[in-house]
Each structure stands twice: as C-alpha cells, then as structure tokens.
Amino acid sequence: MKSLLKRIINPRVRRSMLVFLNRMWCFFCRCLPLRNVVLFYTIRADGTLADNEKAVYDSLDCKKVIFAHKLPHSLKIKPLAYFYLLTSRVIVTDDYVRYMSAAKLRKGQSLIQIWHACGAFKKFGLDAPSNRSEAEEKSLHSQYSAVIVTSEKCRKYYAGAFGISEDICLPLGLPRTDRLFTDKEKMCENLLKKHPELAGKNIYLYCPTFRENNGERIEYDPKIDWSALSNSLTENEILVIRRHPVMDYSLTDKDYHNILDLSEDSTLELTAASDVIITDYSSVIYDACLLSVPSVLYCPDYKDYERGFYLEFPGDLPGELVTESGKLLEAVRNTKENPPADKIKKFIGEQMEACDGKSSERVAALIEKCLK
C-alpha cells in the first residue's frame, strides 16, 4: 500500500500531506493534559541512555520516560516523539532535538540541554560549518530553559553556539563526570573482567572523533601504518581503539593481536583503565584530565581540519601534538613517563571547575524545581 501511494502521489503533494498531518498531530498533542513526567530524549543510542543522561536519570526520584532512537526516525517513531515532547513537563536532552524547529513548547514546559561534550573545545552549533541556515540552526535551540556547562568560562561559548542568552547557561558541571571521582577503580575492574587480555599491559587508548567536509560527515583515514605500529609495540603494550559512535567502519586494515577495537565498551571505563589517551579533536581529553590520564594529540590533518576551536589549539591543551604516525608511539611512551601534571591541573581549572563529583545532584535539583 505504501509503495502504491508513492507511485500515484507526486513527491510535492506527498510532502504537503505529511506537513499537514504533522501539524494536526502536534495540535492534538498540545490539547492533551501536560503530564508531570521527565522525558529523557536522546539520538545518541537506541533504547538506552548514554552516560550523561543516565547519571541524571538515576539521580531522580520521579516519573521518567526514555525516548532513545538514533536518526533517522521512521514515520512510526516521529508521532511518538512529538507526543512525548509536547506532553512532558520537563525534557532533558544531550544533543539536538530537531523536532523543536516545528514544535512550540507549551506553557509550563522546560527543555534542559545537557550537551554531551565537556568544556568549550571545538566549535559547534552556529559557530561551525553546517548545511543548515543560521535561522534553521537557531530554531533548534531557541526554546532551551537551561543549558548545563562545565565552567563559568564556557558560558559565553555555549550561548554563542546556540544563539541564546548567557543567563540560561548554568555552570553546574557535566553529570557523567561524577563517576570519575568515585568509581575509577570499579570502572577498571569492570573492563578487565570483560577483557582479561588487557591485565598487566600498558594500555594506549586511541579515541579519534569524526570528520566533516563542508558540514557533511566523511570517512576518516587516520593515516597509520597499522602493521608497523603492531610490530613496534612491546609484549607489555597494547593499543585499544574506541571509535566515535558515528564511525560505523573499521579504522584498521586487518586484525592484530595487540591492536583491539573495543568501540562497544564504555569510553569512561576504557579511559579509566588506560595509561595514555591518544586523541585528536575529541572532548574525551576532558575525561582523561579528570582521571589524571595524560594525552597525546594525533592530528595528521591538523592543517586541514575545518571545525575551528574556542581555545588555542594545541597550545591550551595538556598534550603533545603529533602529525606523523611514525612518531606517535615515541610520543606516547614519553608522555607516559613524563605526564604534564601542571598543564592538566590548569586545564581542569579553566574548563572543568564545576565538575566536582556532584554535578548530577545539582542538575537533578534543577529538574525537580521545574516539576513543581
């Protein structure tokens, strides 16, 4: 039936029909009673919450609903999304809520943004290349009641990136970092239980972020000679790869006994168990700093990276910049032996001052206030 309708109705008419039905459904949802529940909305996973929202979810004692579906959303999922978004008193999200460009929240509703990344590192939102217009980008963020940030210094950057008032950017700290102050040993134990082959090894964790070209995501080639790297690792060294969630492809050319892709495991657990983090433009460096794990910045595309930064890169970051894969392992070993403790401390003070192990508690208190 669906394929038949596609054949007999031209695309323009079909789009007009969908827009009309969408508006009618939103109107209907807005007429329903507002439920005193907290909706946790995420596009970063299917069926489950990522570390950040889960920390807040677990801290709340109230009625809660989870909407966790990666994009794109099917025609079956979209009506459910609008229903939850327009009938829940408080909405908590950790990423974009694209429905906000078409749905106006009701009086008494609150939309709280707990952005998934720490600090103010690489540019995003209005400050980054995008295939959306400035007006379209602003429409996605204009209805925030509060945006949670990690330090006083970061407030102005989030306000600019979202096109919102700095007054609603609240330095309450990132909830998922709470575990880093209390559960480091437990996280290490959990990882080693799942992967006993890592026990007794010097673990070098490689966490690259995704790449874009004119705002469109592209496949990333790290320009690493994997065979040479594998042969250079000693018996007590192992490289672990943790790809960014949107990287649905392998970074290596084949399997190696001492290079493991553990992208299905928790980034926090992997970071906690590591001796050195190898990253590039990823905010994983913040978690590493809070765990006192030193970092190396491997950026073979340093001169071509198009996103831009809020801080001076790499000078403001506590890690050595490496642009050639042949020099990577030496830099990692040197960093392990001589971690830049003073630079890490300064970096945390400027970018993460509100992360003290009680961020979830503060965000939960804000949500409970919105429910009353």
Side-chain angles (χ1 to χ4, degrees):
M1 184 66 179
K2 186 177 178 180
S3 58
L4 176 63
L5 289 173
K6 281 187 175 182
R7 284 200 300 269
I8 62 177
I9 303 177
N10 75 57
R12 182 178 296 179
V13 173
R14 192 164 64 246
R15 280 196 298 271
S16 297
M17 290 174 61
L18 288 174
V19 169
F20 173 76
L21 291 172
N22 186 64
R23 287 176 178 170
M24 293 300 295
W25 177 244
C26 287
F27 177 79
F28 172 75
C29 290
R30 289 174 62 83
C31 292
L32 296 174
L34 199 59
R35 301 173 303 141
N36 206 43
V37 301
V38 181
L39 168 65
F40 286 83
Y41 174 100
T42 185
I43 56 172
R44 302 184 65 79
D46 284 318
T48 187
L49 297 176
D51 294 328
N52 211 27
E53 283 193 299
K54 189 176 187 306
V56 179
Y57 183 95
D58 291 343
S59 299
L60 281 171
D61 183 18
C62 62
K63 291 183 179 180
K64 299 167 282 190
V65 176
I66 295 175
F67 179 93
H69 297 277
K70 289 184 178 181
L71 296 174
H73 293 164
S74 69
L75 290 177
K76 292 181 180 179
I77 293 295
K78 288 180 180 179
L80 185 63
Y82 278 117
F83 170 77
Y84 282 139
L85 289 168
L86 292 172
T87 62
S88 301
R89 187 169 296 279
V90 180
I91 303 159
V92 179
T93 187
D94 57 357
D95 211 308
Y96 281 62
V97 184
R98 297 188 181 183
Y99 298 97
M100 289 299 95
S101 62
K104 181 174 175 56
L105 293 181
R106 302 161 63 177
K107 184 179 179 180
Q109 285 190 286
S110 299
L111 175 57
I112 298 174
Q113 172 65 260
I114 313 175
W115 193 245
H116 52 274
C118 296
F121 182 5
K122 59 187 178 186
K123 293 185 177 181
F124 62 101
L126 290 164
D127 297 330
S130 173
N131 52 16
R132 288 182 287 269
S133 69
E134 182 177 334
E136 289 171 331
E137 187 76 33
K138 283 185 175 180
S139 70
L140 297 173
H141 310 296
S142 62
Q143 300 187 70
Y144 293 145
S145 307
V147 174
I148 311 305
V149 300
T150 57
S151 74
E152 184 70 29
K153 187 176 181 179
C154 293
R155 294 176 64 205
K156 62 181 179 181
Y157 299 118
Y158 279 75
F162 291 144
I164 58 176
S165 169
E166 193 173 323
D167 293 338
I168 65 170
C169 297
L170 309 179
L172 303 182
L174 205 64
R176 67 176 173 80
T177 64
D178 290 352
R179 290 183 64 196
L180 307 184
F181 293 87
T182 58
D183 294 346
K184 181 175 180 178
E185 289 187 11
K186 184 179 178 181
M187 288 190 288
C188 291
E189 289 173 4
N190 288 343
L191 186 72
L192 293 178
K193 273 184 184 178
K194 290 182 285 185
H195 304 285
E197 67 273 22
L198 299 179
K201 303 282 189 180
N202 291 331
I203 302 172
Y204 308 142
L205 176 62
Y206 180 38
C207 293
T209 192
F210 63 87
R211 297 301 196 273
E212 295 171 310
N213 184 18
N214 294 322
E216 296 288 339
R217 287 176 185 164
I218 58 174
E219 193 164 307
Y220 173 55
D221 176 11
K223 295 180 172 56
I224 293 176
D225 185 335
W226 297 106
S227 180
L229 179 59
S230 175
N231 291 333
S232 298
L233 290 168
T234 64
E235 288 187 4
N236 68 330
E237 295 177 317
I238 194 163
L239 181 79
V240 173
I241 299 172
R242 208 308 178 175
R243 291 174 282 111
H244 188 280
V246 303
M247 290 179 169
D248 56 357
Y249 50 87
S250 176
L251 294 176
T252 60
D253 54 352
K254 63 178 183 180
D255 292 334
Y256 297 92
H257 73 284
N258 53 4
I259 300 176
L260 306 179
D261 189 323
L262 302 183
S263 296
E264 298 303 315
D265 286 275
S266 163
T267 304
L268 289 182
E269 289 185 357
L270 289 167
T271 304
S274 296
D275 294 279
V276 179
I277 298 292
I278 305 165
T279 186
D280 40 31
Y281 318 107
S282 170
S283 60
V284 71
I285 194 171
Y286 291 96
D287 298 326
C289 286
L290 288 175
L291 287 164
S292 298
V293 178
S295 304
V296 169
L297 306 170
Y298 174 60
C299 309
D301 59 347
Y302 168 54
K303 293 183 179 180
D304 302 319
Y305 188 66
E306 69 171 33
R307 182 70 78 91
F309 308 98
Y310 293 112
L311 42 67
E312 183 184 335
F313 185 91
D316 288 343
L317 275 73
E320 179 184 349
L321 175 65
V322 178
T323 58
E324 300 174 29
S325 67
K327 298 179 180 180
L328 179 58
L329 191 53
E330 179 185 0
V332 169
R333 288 168 176 163
N334 288 340
T335 297
K336 180 182 180 300
E337 294 302 318
N338 303 289
D342 290 341
K343 291 191 74 173
I344 290 174
K345 184 178 180 180
K346 180 183 177 184
F347 187 70
I348 292 173
E350 292 179 350
Q351 295 272 322
M352 306 286 285
E353 64 179 356
C355 297
D356 57 1
K358 298 180 180 179
S359 299
S360 299
E361 182 181 321
R362 288 190 288 268
V363 176
L366 173 66
I367 292 170
E368 288 166 354
K369 185 178 178 181
C370 293
L371 283 172
K372 293 178 181 177

